[in-house]
């Protein structure tokens, strides 16, 4: 009888342990879901402004003047379709943002004006596009076609129209690389300037699948090749915000080439690259992102920008630099330390004072959890 009692005791112990582990697991995954839902709710309540049948994403916290950027609108569309797949947003939420895009296209194109300023009811619209915004909008529409099959035809038709215009107005014929915008055309001194974060290998693959146009695979390979050339010159593997990609070769942009004194540094554009690259299974993408993660593994903190030698540009931290690294590290056991030391950014309130930090955090939280 003693053997049997021991066996029963052991069995009970195993059952209780199993229940405990399951409860812990469910509590943890539930807390991740609650965290993700809270982040999305904070983001949408603070940044999404409904205006009649439209909605836009505001990038400023100024009562008198609102700035809308195609980049912000496109992130909003991406976030909303992702939130819808988790039951947090509706098709109408997406369509409101989509209508705003449709009403702010450049004349005779499918590309969105890169900036609108709404000041006391008056709207000023810039008549140029920014390539990244339109790439994201096209991808958001493809995601929407998967999410809402009844409207799939319309969403896909519009995505294809955008992609055709990107190839028409944002493509450098000489190098096979995407330009920074329709204004950086053949007559412009910026024709060969490349925004490194416009390298979206996973998106390009999906664009090829939708359109059947092999040009997208060539663009993917060409832009990754340019990043690889820069990455191989530095032990850190860090990439700058902007590079010159011309027929002679690839070189880092000088400070103040176009946006800031950090144009040649790993700054507010390039910080998206760990996210962009990690989304793709492409060999070069994976090689580039692992080299960057190896650099971040050696750092005690992730700061808001670095020179390419790996010196921090300042001593403050920003979620837009941390969240993409967490995303890239989350799949790889070798890099779990980066997830552990940085996941606090998802546990605290969203940084509502900064549209970019809040938006990157929200997008990545919805992707990860």
């Amino acid at each position: 009888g003693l053997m049997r009692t021991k066996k029963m005791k052991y069995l009970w112990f195993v059952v209780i342990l199993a229940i405990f582990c399951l409860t812990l697991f469910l509590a943890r995954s539930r807390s991740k879901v609650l965290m993700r839902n809270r982040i999305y709710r904070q983001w949408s309540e603070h940044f999404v402004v409904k205006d009649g049948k439209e909605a836009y994403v505001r990038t400023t916290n100024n009562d008198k003047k609102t700035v809308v950027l195609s980049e912000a609108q496109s992130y909003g569309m991406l976030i909303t379709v992702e939130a819808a797949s988790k039951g947090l947003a509706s098709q109408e939420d997406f369509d409101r943002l989509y209508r705003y895009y449709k009403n702010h296209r450049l004349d005779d194109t499918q590309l969105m004006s890169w900036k609108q300023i709404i000041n006391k009811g008056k709207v000023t619209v810039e008549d140029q596009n920014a390539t990244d915004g339109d790439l994201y909008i096209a991808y958001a529409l493809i995601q929407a076609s998967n999410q809402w099959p009844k409207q799939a035809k319309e969403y896909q038709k519009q995505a294809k129209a955008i992609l055709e215009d990107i190839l028409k107005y944002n493509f450098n014929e000489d190098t096979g690389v995407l330009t920074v915008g329709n204004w950086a055309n053949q007559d412009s001194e910026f024709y060969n300037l490349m925004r490194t974060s416009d390298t979206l290998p996973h998106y390009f693959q999906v664009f090829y699948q939708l359109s059947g146009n092999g040009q997208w695979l060539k663009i993917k390979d060409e832009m990754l090749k340019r990043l690889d050339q820069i990455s191989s010159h530095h032990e850190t593997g860090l990439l700058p915000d902007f590079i010159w990609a011309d027929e002679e070769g690839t070189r880092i942009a000088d400070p103040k080439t176009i946006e800031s004194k950090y144009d040649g540094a790993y700054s507010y554009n390039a910080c998206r690259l760990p996210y962009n690259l990690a989304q793709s299974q492409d060999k070069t993408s994976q090689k580039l992102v692992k080299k960057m993660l190896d650099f971040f593994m050696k750092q005690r903190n992730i700061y808001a920008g670095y020179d390419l030698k790996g010196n921090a540009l300042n001593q403050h931290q920003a979620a837009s630099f941390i969240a993409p690294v967490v995303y890239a590290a989350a799949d790889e056991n070798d890099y779990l330390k980066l997830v552990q030391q940085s996941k606090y950014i998802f546990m605290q309130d969203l940084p509502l004072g900064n549209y970019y930090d809040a938006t990157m955090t929200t997008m990545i939280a919805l992707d990860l959890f």
Side-chain angles (χ1 to χ4, degrees), residues 144-156:
S145 75
N146 299 327
Q147 180 63 27
W148 297 292
K150 276 191 184 141
Q151 266 71 43
K153 274 207 170 74
E154 189 216 326
Y155 292 144
Q156 287 180 1

Side-chain angles (χ1 to χ4, degrees), residues 220-283:
K220 182 184 99 162
D221 290 342
E222 189 56 47
M223 291 178 81
L224 283 170
K225 187 181 92 187
R226 299 292 185 155
L227 295 189
D228 200 18
Q229 286 166 347
I230 300 286
S231 171
S232 63
H233 292 163
H234 301 274
E235 231 171 283
T236 61
L238 294 174
L239 296 156
D241 276 4
F242 293 95
I243 58 180
W244 291 104
D246 52 36
E247 286 142 298
E248 283 76 69
T250 314
R251 63 185 200 285
I252 297 155
D254 287 323
K256 299 206 172 140
T257 294
I258 184 170
E259 266 184 25
S260 80
K261 61 178 176 180
Y262 297 132
D263 285 347
Y266 181 82
S267 191
Y268 277 91
N269 284 300
C271 66
R272 303 180 266 198
L273 277 164
Y275 176 64
N276 297 359
L277 297 169
Q279 286 176 297
S280 169
Q281 290 313 304
D282 175 275
K283 277 211 300 282

